[in-house]
Amino acid sequence: MACLLEAPLRISVLSEVTATSRHYVDRLFDPDPQKVLQGVIDMKNAVIGNNKQKANLIVLGAVPRLLYLLQQSCSSLQLKTECAVVLGSLAMGTENNIKSLVDCHIIPTLLQGLLSPDLIFIEACLRCLRTVFISPVTPVQLLYTDPTVIPHLMSLLSNSQRTQEYITQIFSHCSVCCLQTPEHQTVLFNHGAIQNIAPLLISPSYKVRMQALKCFSVLAYENTQVSMTLVNVLVDGEQLTQVFVKMMQRDQPIEMQLTAAKCLTYMCRAGAIRTDDNCVVLKTLPCLVRMCSKEHLLEERVEGAETLAYLMEPDVELQRIASTTDHLVAMLADYFKYPSSVSAIADIKRLDHDLKHAHELRQAAFKLYASLGSNDEDIRKKITETENMMDRIVSGLSESSIKTRLAAVRCLHSLSRSVQQLRTSFHDHAVWKPLMKLLQNAPDEVLVMASSTLCNLLLEFSPSKEPILESGVIELLCSLTQSDSPALRVNGIWALMNMAFQADQKVKVEIVRCLGTEQLFRLLSDPDTNVLMKTLGLLRNLLSKRPHIDQIMSSHGKQIMQAVTLILEAEHSIEVKEQTLCILANIADGNTAKDLLMTNDDMLQKVKYYMGHSNANLQLAATFCVSNLIWNEEDGSQERQDKLREMGFVDILHKLTQSADPNLSDRAKTALQQYLA
């Protein structure tokens, strides 16, 4: 019986709620302004903390009416203010509420309201705008559409502590969402953000100080112009950097310590503060290491580790200092055990939250390990010897979170720069297997890092090279060379280049077969110089060992000589031309392949030209080519020597023996000795 009554009962309750909500909306249309005002006040009281009521009112069309009343010149100031307050309350509901408000053009209406002379109304509009703009569903570019908005907001900063708090929060959020588009940082900078916001760092209000600090952290991020300006700013007679240092002191709230450390980190990375400056080495770095300890909340530990990773990423000395500060390498191992026990977190909601976000801790730890181990061999050894570290990285490669997988592969890539680790830890844990699996199906950013790591695993001294070869990797790498992404093309060809180094003829033939001559020569005309250089490196490695040179040149000699001609004749860097001449030197070392050079007078003239070039590296590579052609112990050397003498090569060799470059003069002397033997 109860089951039969349940549905009608729900319908009855729902219709009652909707009827009540309808009553609130109907009162907004009353012809008596006093009743309208009372209706808005009652609506304000009804929606506080009641998301269902908020949703009902939005569905019933309350928002357009509230916005209409807010814009009418005949509406009293109290009514306009109460409308802004209700809209702000509606904005504090769900993301769908925000979408509905934005669709009703709430932002331009509230921005227009900021032109009012009344401070209470301005604060209500700003409070609502703040709530709308900090939502992830709001298109932040709406703040920048009208060029008069930012300067007007700057002018309102001095009106009250509330305007300062709301405006700085809007600025910091709308900038942090647009860090991929630095023009928004520039807009704020050009409209005096630094000089207007700097005094707020010593405001009596903690909220204002905190929002001002956040503003500077997002303005300075990867922005040299802003960072260089900040270094010279004085706040109440004190340098801004020292203000940030004071905000990092242990007696300050954690949020403030962290954000101040981020400001100094970003200024340092932008080149405004030296990496050996005391405020970085003695203050910022220790503060960030402190944030990684387990007494801090999950979010603080994540932010601390990620900021520290960013700070020391390009600087080996900071990496060394960090690795010996507060046992950081061992401390990070705790990031993988979190939360270690239910009893450690009394708050069930906090435990539930942390369980859902524990992957962010692992991600942060991988990032920090990657940064720590990017240069120093001893630090890498310390990382790999940390309990179960390699197993954790391997597990990280198959995590459901793409960001965690990316961080794990970054960590692996950092460690793969170590010859010792490639020979030991990487081999012992068969790291190549999960790496190959990751390469089968991953987003481009993961593919780039995974394929870059694979390049290192395919180096000659890596024990993983053989099993990777047997797994059929060549086809995968050849497919990468056809990617639209230059980084993936580089990594694909780089890995093939490493694979071809001192490889068996069978492997080289398979590379050429799988890649195809058409794709090989397409890569030789790639607009990306890195792709071109690695392709030349691959060709050079394929054309090593005489039987291999002769075999490849017998089947592809014509196309290779054409490609070499095009590169030597085109506008390319010295490095590209040097690699190309080295390929010619390898061809000249073949038994039968050298005939392709000797019968090509145009190519010989090019070699002669580069022997007389102003760059010693090009001269040396061209001289190697000649030396290989005229080597005495080989069949037909006399005829080749005679031909090159007639073409004037001997005279050039005599001149080169006087070169100031010892390598070049020695090579020229060695070549001339072939004529005397």
Side-chain angles (χ1 to χ4, degrees):
M1 198 71 170
C3 292
L4 291 172
L5 287 172
E6 189 176 1
L9 186 64
R10 281 184 177 170
I11 291 167
S12 169
V13 170
L14 184 63
S15 59
E16 190 180 313
V17 170
T18 310
T20 310
S21 304
R22 168 64 68 189
H23 172 65
Y24 286 120
V25 177
D26 289 344
R27 289 169 71 189
L28 300 180
F29 292 87
D30 197 290
D32 183 345
Q34 206 53 41
K35 287 183 178 176
V36 172
L37 174 61
Q38 192 55 51
V40 174
I41 292 169
D42 290 346
M43 184 183 285
K44 175 181 71 176
N45 295 330
V47 297
I48 293 171
N50 189 335
N51 278 347
K52 184 181 278 186
Q53 186 70 279
K54 290 175 185 178
N56 283 338
L57 290 170
I58 289 171
V59 169
L60 292 168
V63 175
R65 184 62 183 171
L66 288 167
L67 290 171
Y68 173 80
L69 293 169
L70 189 145
Q71 293 177 86
Q72 293 308 296
S73 55
C74 59
S75 295
S76 68
L77 203 52
Q78 187 184 3
L79 175 59
K80 288 182 178 182
T81 305
E82 292 294 350
C83 285
V85 170
V86 173
L87 288 164
S89 190
L90 293 176
M92 286 181 176
T94 64
E95 287 185 356
N96 282 334
N97 290 10
I98 298 279
K99 284 179 185 171
S100 300
L101 292 170
V102 172
D103 290 343
C104 290
H105 307 291
I106 189 173
I107 292 173
T109 305
L110 291 173
L111 289 173
Q112 191 66 30
L114 299 180
L115 299 173
S116 165
D118 185 79
L119 181 59
I120 305 298
F121 177 54
I122 287 172
E123 287 178 350
C125 289
L126 280 172
R127 190 185 305 115
C128 184
L129 280 167
R130 180 272 314 267
T131 307
V132 171
F133 272 119
I134 63 173
S135 167
V137 299
T138 303
V140 293
Q141 63 267 25
L142 292 172
L143 184 68
Y144 300 92
T145 308
D146 181 344
T148 65
V149 169
I150 300 296
H152 185 62
L153 287 171
M154 291 293 178
S155 72
L156 294 174
L157 269 173
S158 58
N159 286 16
S160 71
Q161 282 187 6
R162 285 199 179 99
T163 62
Q164 290 168 353
E165 180 193 337
Y166 301 148
I167 291 170
T168 47
Q169 196 169 359
I170 289 168
F171 283 165
S172 64
H173 189 81
C174 289
S175 295
V176 81
C177 288
C178 301
L179 289 179
Q180 301 307 314
T181 53
E183 62 264 24
H184 290 159
Q185 290 172 313
T186 307
V187 169
L188 292 173
F189 176 80
N190 290 343
H191 284 104
I194 291 176
Q195 53 268 45
N196 282 300
I197 297 172
L200 306 185
L201 290 169
I202 52 171
S203 163
S205 161
Y206 171 76
K207 285 183 177 179
V208 171
R209 293 199 305 278
M210 197 58 236
Q211 291 307 327
L213 190 59
K214 284 182 178 177
C215 251
F216 283 128
S217 76
V218 296
L219 283 172
Y221 181 72
E222 291 189 353
N223 194 310
T224 303
Q225 183 186 32
V226 170
S227 296
M228 289 295 190
T229 306
L230 289 177
V231 170
N232 299 311
V233 169
L234 292 177
V235 180
D236 200 25
E238 191 171 28
Q239 275 197 313
L240 186 63
T241 49
Q242 287 311 303
V243 175
F244 290 155
V245 166
K246 285 182 178 176
M247 288 175 154
M248 287 191 295
Q249 289 173 353
R250 290 171 187 257
D251 60 349
Q252 297 296 334
I254 297 300
E255 180 189 29
M256 182 168 276
Q257 290 183 47
L258 248 177
T259 312
K262 284 170 84 169
C263 288
L264 289 165
T265 293
Y266 298 157
M267 289 166 71
C268 179
R269 282 299 307 267
I273 304 174
R274 288 165 56 97
T275 54
D276 59 357
D277 191 294
N278 281 350
C279 77
V280 173
V281 178
L282 302 179
K283 301 293 181 182
T284 309
L285 187 145
C287 172
L288 291 170
V289 171
R290 203 163 62 236
M291 294 301 146
C292 298
S293 64
K294 57 185 171 188
E295 67 252 23
H296 290 295
L297 294 174
L298 179 144
E299 298 84 9
E300 295 159 0
R301 295 172 77 187
V302 167
E303 205 169 343
E306 292 190 341
T307 307
L308 180 56
Y310 182 68
L311 171 66
M312 64 187 179
E313 192 175 30
D315 192 271
V316 65
E317 197 49 45
L318 286 180
Q319 291 159 14
R320 287 177 182 143
I321 294 167
S323 71
T324 57
T325 303
D326 293 350
H327 309 287
L328 177 64
V329 174
M331 191 196 298
L332 285 176
D334 288 334
Y335 277 45
F336 297 94
K337 309 169 188 172
Y338 191 84
S340 52
S341 66
V342 175
S343 59
I345 303 175
D347 184 345
I348 296 300
K349 279 188 179 176
R350 166 52 66 174
L351 175 63
D352 183 54
H353 169 273
D354 286 3
L355 285 168
K356 285 175 183 170
H357 293 269
H359 67 92
E360 291 174 22
L361 268 180
R362 297 192 292 277
Q363 179 187 318
F366 285 138
K367 281 184 184 176
L368 187 43
Y369 276 137
S371 192
L372 275 168
S374 57
N375 291 291
D376 189 281
E377 190 62 44
D378 290 337
I379 299 175
R380 290 185 194 124
K381 188 170 184 288
K382 198 187 282 190
I383 292 169
T384 52
E385 287 175 355
T386 302
E387 52 178 315
N388 305 323
M389 192 59 218
M390 293 306 293
D391 290 333
R392 283 170 178 154
I393 295 173
V394 168
S395 298
L397 295 177
S398 56
E399 284 222 21
S400 57
S401 159
I402 288 174
K403 287 184 177 179
T404 309
R405 290 207 301 273
L406 178 59
V409 80
R410 273 188 199 283
C411 184
L412 197 63
H413 178 253
S414 181
L415 298 173
S416 74
R417 292 176 177 147
S418 161
V419 175
Q420 184 188 0
Q421 298 310 323
L422 284 174
R423 285 178 169 161
T424 54
S425 306
F426 277 59
H427 182 56
D428 296 343
H429 291 83
V431 165
W432 67 271
K433 288 181 181 177
L435 191 65
M436 286 292 292
K437 190 177 176 186
L438 191 63
L439 280 161
Q440 304 299 326
N441 182 27
D444 272 11
E445 57 180 344
V446 176
L447 271 181
V448 168
M449 199 49 63
S451 56
S452 196
T453 309
L454 190 65
C455 288
N456 292 343
L457 266 67
L458 285 167
L459 289 165
E460 183 211 3
F461 47 75
S462 165
S464 304
K465 183 174 181 177
E466 281 307 312
I468 292 173
L469 268 172
E470 289 164 13
S471 73
V473 74
I474 294 176
E475 204 162 311
L476 171 70
L477 296 175
C478 290
S479 69
L480 289 183
T481 70
Q482 297 177 24
S483 169
D484 291 335
S485 159
L488 284 176
R489 293 202 302 280
V490 167
N491 287 349
I493 206 75
W494 195 341
L496 289 169
M497 182 187 86
N498 288 351
M499 192 184 293
F501 181 72
Q502 294 189 352
D504 296 337
Q505 188 163 356
K506 182 179 75 172
V507 173
K508 291 182 180 180
V509 168
E510 181 59 18
I511 290 172
V512 174
R513 184 202 66 76
C514 193
L515 189 61
T517 50
E518 197 175 313
Q519 175 62 4
L520 180 62
F521 299 119
R522 193 178 294 125
L523 292 165
L524 286 170
S525 57
D526 197 285
D528 189 288
T529 305
N530 289 328
V531 175
L532 174 56
M533 281 293 284
K534 296 304 173 206
T535 308
L536 290 169
L538 168 63
L539 204 48
R540 192 174 167 184
N541 286 350
L542 290 171
L543 295 168
S544 62
K545 298 183 185 175
R546 285 179 180 169
H548 302 178
I549 296 167
D550 292 334
Q551 196 270 332
I552 290 172
M553 290 306 290
S554 68
S555 48
H556 306 293
K558 188 179 176 184
Q559 298 102 310
I560 289 172
M561 294 301 279
Q562 277 179 341
V564 167
T565 303
L566 288 171
I567 292 168
L568 291 178
E569 287 179 350
E571 290 292 322
H572 283 297
S573 66
I574 296 293
E575 292 75 19
V576 166
K577 296 206 171 184
E578 183 188 0
Q579 277 285 336
T580 309
L581 288 166
C582 288
I583 288 168
L584 278 182
N586 283 15
I587 294 168
D589 194 39
N591 289 320
T592 57
K594 55 169 53 85
D595 293 340
L596 284 163
L597 256 172
M598 289 306 301
T599 56
N600 189 333
D601 286 1
D602 179 53
M603 188 62 79
L604 290 175
Q605 288 294 347
K606 284 181 173 54
V607 172
K608 185 179 169 185
Y609 165 77
Y610 283 107
M611 285 177 74
H613 199 277
S614 58
N615 184 277
N617 288 344
L618 294 183
Q619 289 178 293
L620 184 60
T623 305
F624 255 110
C625 184
V626 172
S627 183
N628 285 346
L629 286 173
I630 61 175
W631 203 255
N632 251 326
E633 298 160 11
E634 292 164 14
D635 291 343
S637 60
Q638 189 61 53
E639 291 85 346
R640 292 191 292 275
Q641 287 179 10
D642 292 344
K643 178 169 181 175
L644 294 185
R645 186 196 297 274
E646 286 169 22
M647 292 180 72
F649 278 83
V650 174
D651 295 337
I652 299 174
L653 286 171
H654 276 295
K655 285 181 189 171
L656 293 179
T657 59
Q658 305 304 311
S659 170
D661 186 296
N663 291 331
L664 181 55
S665 62
D666 286 351
R667 178 48 55 184
K669 287 171 187 172
T670 303
L672 279 173
Q673 283 169 5
Q674 303 310 306
Y675 279 96
L676 302 172

